Coordinates of all heavy atoms in Angstrom, one line a residue:
E1 N 0.8 -1.2 0.0 CA 0.0 0.0 0.0 C 0.9 1.3 0.0 O 0.5 2.3 -0.6 CB -0.9 0.0 1.2 CG -1.9 1.1 1.3 CD -2.9 1.1 0.2 OE1 -3.2 0.0 -0.4 OE2 -3.4 2.2 -0.2
L2 N 2.0 1.2 0.6 CA 2.9 2.3 0.6 C 3.5 2.7 -0.8 O 4.0 3.8 -1.0 CB 4.1 2.1 1.6 CG 3.7 2.1 3.1 CD1 4.9 1.8 3.9 CD2 3.0 3.4 3.5
F3 N 3.4 1.7 -1.7 CA 3.7 2.0 -3.1 C 2.5 2.5 -3.9 O 2.7 3.3 -4.8 CB 4.2 0.7 -3.8 CG 5.6 0.3 -3.4 CD1 5.8 -0.7 -2.5 CD2 6.7 1.0 -3.8 CE1 7.1 -1.1 -2.1 CE2 8.0 0.7 -3.4 CZ 8.2 -0.4 -2.5
V4 N 1.3 2.1 -3.5 CA 0.1 2.6 -4.2 C -0.2 4.0 -3.9 O -0.6 4.8 -4.8 CB -1.1 1.7 -3.8 CG1 -2.4 2.2 -4.3 CG2 -0.8 0.2 -4.3
I5 N 0.0 4.5 -2.7 CA -0.3 5.9 -2.3 C 0.4 6.9 -3.1 O -0.2 7.8 -3.7 CB -0.1 6.1 -0.8 CG1 -1.1 5.2 0.0 CG2 -0.2 7.5 -0.4 CD1 -0.8 5.2 1.5
P6 N 1.8 6.8 -3.2 CA 2.4 7.9 -4.1 C 2.0 7.8 -5.5 O 1.9 8.9 -6.2 CB 3.9 7.6 -3.9 CG 4.1 6.7 -2.8 CD 2.8 6.0 -2.6
I7 N 1.8 6.6 -6.0 CA 1.3 6.5 -7.4 C -0.1 7.2 -7.6 O -0.3 7.9 -8.5 CB 1.3 5.1 -7.9 CG1 2.7 4.5 -8.0 CG2 0.6 4.9 -9.2 CD1 2.8 3.0 -8.2
G8 N -0.9 7.0 -6.6 CA -2.3 7.6 -6.7 C -2.2 9.1 -6.6 O -2.9 9.8 -7.3
L9 N -1.3 9.6 -5.8 CA -1.1 11.1 -5.6 C -0.5 11.7 -6.9 O -0.9 12.8 -7.3 CB -0.3 11.4 -4.4 CG -0.9 11.1 -3.1 CD1 0.0 11.4 -1.9 CD2 -2.3 11.8 -2.9
L10 N 0.4 10.9 -7.6 CA 0.9 11.4 -8.9 C -0.2 11.4 -9.9 O -0.2 12.3 -10.8 CB 2.1 10.5 -9.3 CG 3.4 10.7 -8.5 CD1 4.4 9.7 -9.0 CD2 4.0 12.1 -8.7
V11 N -1.0 10.4 -9.9 CA -2.2 10.4 -10.8 C -3.1 11.6 -10.5 O -3.6 12.3 -11.5 CB -3.0 9.1 -10.7 CG1 -4.3 9.2 -11.4 CG2 -2.1 8.0 -11.2
A12 N -3.3 12.0 -9.3 CA -4.1 13.2 -8.9 C -3.5 14.4 -9.5 O -4.2 15.3 -10.0 CB -4.3 13.3 -7.4
V13 N -2.1 14.6 -9.4 CA -1.4 15.7 -10.0 C -1.6 15.8 -11.5 O -1.9 16.8 -12.1 CB 0.0 15.7 -9.5 CG1 0.8 16.8 -10.3 CG2 0.2 16.0 -8.0
A14 N -1.4 14.6 -12.1 CA -1.6 14.5 -13.6 C -3.0 14.9 -14.0 O -3.2 15.6 -15.0 CB -1.2 13.1 -14.1
A15 N -4.0 14.4 -13.2 CA -5.4 14.8 -13.5 C -5.6 16.3 -13.3 O -6.4 16.9 -14.1 CB -6.3 14.0 -12.6
R16 N -5.0 16.9 -12.4 CA -5.1 18.3 -12.2 C -4.5 19.1 -13.3 O -5.1 20.2 -13.7 CB -4.4 18.7 -10.9 CG -4.4 20.2 -10.6 CD -5.8 20.6 -10.1 NE -5.8 22.0 -9.8 CZ -6.7 22.9 -10.1 NH1 -7.8 22.4 -10.7 NH2 -6.7 24.1 -9.8
L17 N -3.5 18.6 -14.0 CA -2.9 19.3 -15.1 C -3.6 19.0 -16.4 O -3.2 19.6 -17.5 CB -1.4 18.9 -15.2 CG -0.6 19.3 -14.0 CD1 0.8 18.7 -14.1 CD2 -0.6 20.8 -13.8
T18 N -4.5 18.0 -16.5 CA -5.2 17.6 -17.7 C -6.6 18.2 -17.7 O -7.4 17.8 -16.8 CB -5.2 16.1 -17.8 OG1 -3.9 15.6 -17.7 CG2 -5.7 15.7 -19.1
Q19 N -6.9 19.0 -18.6 CA -8.2 19.7 -18.6 C -9.4 18.8 -18.6 O -10.3 19.0 -17.8 CB -8.2 20.6 -19.8 CG -9.5 21.5 -19.9 CD -9.6 22.4 -18.7 OE1 -8.6 22.9 -18.2 NE2 -10.8 22.6 -18.2
P20 N -9.5 17.7 -19.4 CA -10.8 17.0 -19.4 C -11.1 16.3 -18.1 O -12.3 16.1 -17.8 CB -10.6 15.9 -20.5 CG -9.5 16.4 -21.3 CD -8.6 17.3 -20.5
V21 N -10.1 15.9 -17.3 CA -10.3 15.2 -16.1 C -9.9 16.0 -14.8 O -9.7 15.4 -13.8 CB -9.6 13.8 -16.1 CG1 -10.3 12.9 -17.1 CG2 -8.1 14.0 -16.4
R22 N -9.9 17.3 -15.0 CA -9.5 18.1 -13.9 C -10.4 17.9 -12.6 O -9.9 17.9 -11.5 CB -9.4 19.6 -14.3 CG -9.0 20.5 -13.2 CD -8.7 21.8 -13.7 NE -7.4 21.8 -14.3 CZ -6.9 22.8 -15.1 NH1 -7.5 23.9 -15.2 NH2 -5.7 22.7 -15.7
P23 N -11.7 17.8 -12.8 CA -12.6 17.6 -11.6 C -12.3 16.3 -10.9 O -12.7 16.1 -9.7 CB -14.0 17.5 -12.2 CG -13.9 18.2 -13.5 CD -12.5 17.9 -14.0
W24 N -11.5 15.4 -11.4 CA -11.2 14.1 -10.8 C -10.0 14.3 -9.8 O -9.8 13.4 -8.9 CB -10.8 13.1 -11.7 CG -11.8 12.5 -12.6 CD1 -13.1 13.0 -12.7 CD2 -11.7 11.5 -13.6 NE1 -13.8 12.2 -13.7 CE2 -13.0 11.3 -14.2 CE3 -10.7 10.7 -14.0 CZ2 -13.2 10.4 -15.2 CZ3 -10.9 9.7 -14.9 CH2 -12.1 9.6 -15.5
A25 N -9.3 15.4 -9.8 CA -8.0 15.5 -9.1 C -8.3 15.4 -7.6 O -7.6 14.6 -6.9 CB -7.3 16.8 -9.4
R26 N -9.1 16.2 -7.0 CA -9.3 16.2 -5.6 C -9.9 14.9 -5.1 O -9.5 14.3 -4.1 CB -10.2 17.4 -5.2 CG -10.4 17.4 -3.6 CD -11.1 18.7 -3.2 NE -10.3 19.9 -3.5 CZ -10.8 21.0 -3.9 NH1 -12.1 21.2 -4.1 NH2 -10.0 22.0 -4.2
P27 N -11.0 14.3 -5.8 CA -11.5 13.0 -5.3 C -10.4 11.9 -5.4 O -10.4 11.0 -4.5 CB -12.7 12.7 -6.2 CG -13.1 14.0 -6.7 CD -11.8 14.9 -6.8
I28 N -9.6 11.9 -6.4 CA -8.5 10.9 -6.5 C -7.6 11.1 -5.3 O -7.2 10.1 -4.6 CB -7.8 11.0 -7.8 CG1 -8.6 10.5 -9.0 CG2 -6.5 10.2 -7.8 CD1 -8.0 10.8 -10.3
A29 N -7.2 12.3 -5.0 CA -6.2 12.5 -3.8 C -6.9 12.1 -2.5 O -6.2 11.4 -1.7 CB -5.8 13.9 -3.8
V30 N -8.1 12.5 -2.3 CA -8.8 12.2 -1.0 C -9.0 10.7 -0.9 O -8.7 10.1 0.2 CB -10.1 13.0 -0.9 CG1 -10.9 12.5 0.3 CG2 -9.8 14.4 -0.8
T31 N -9.5 10.0 -1.9 CA -9.7 8.6 -1.9 C -8.4 7.8 -1.7 O -8.4 6.8 -1.0 CB -10.5 8.1 -3.2 OG1 -11.6 8.9 -3.3 CG2 -10.8 6.7 -3.1

């Protein structure tokens, strides 16, 4: 799980930088 958490947070950052899925960024980080 300690490997999954940083990958998920990187995905949240990538979602924040990508316009079509920007609304997913905060829910991805929180989840």
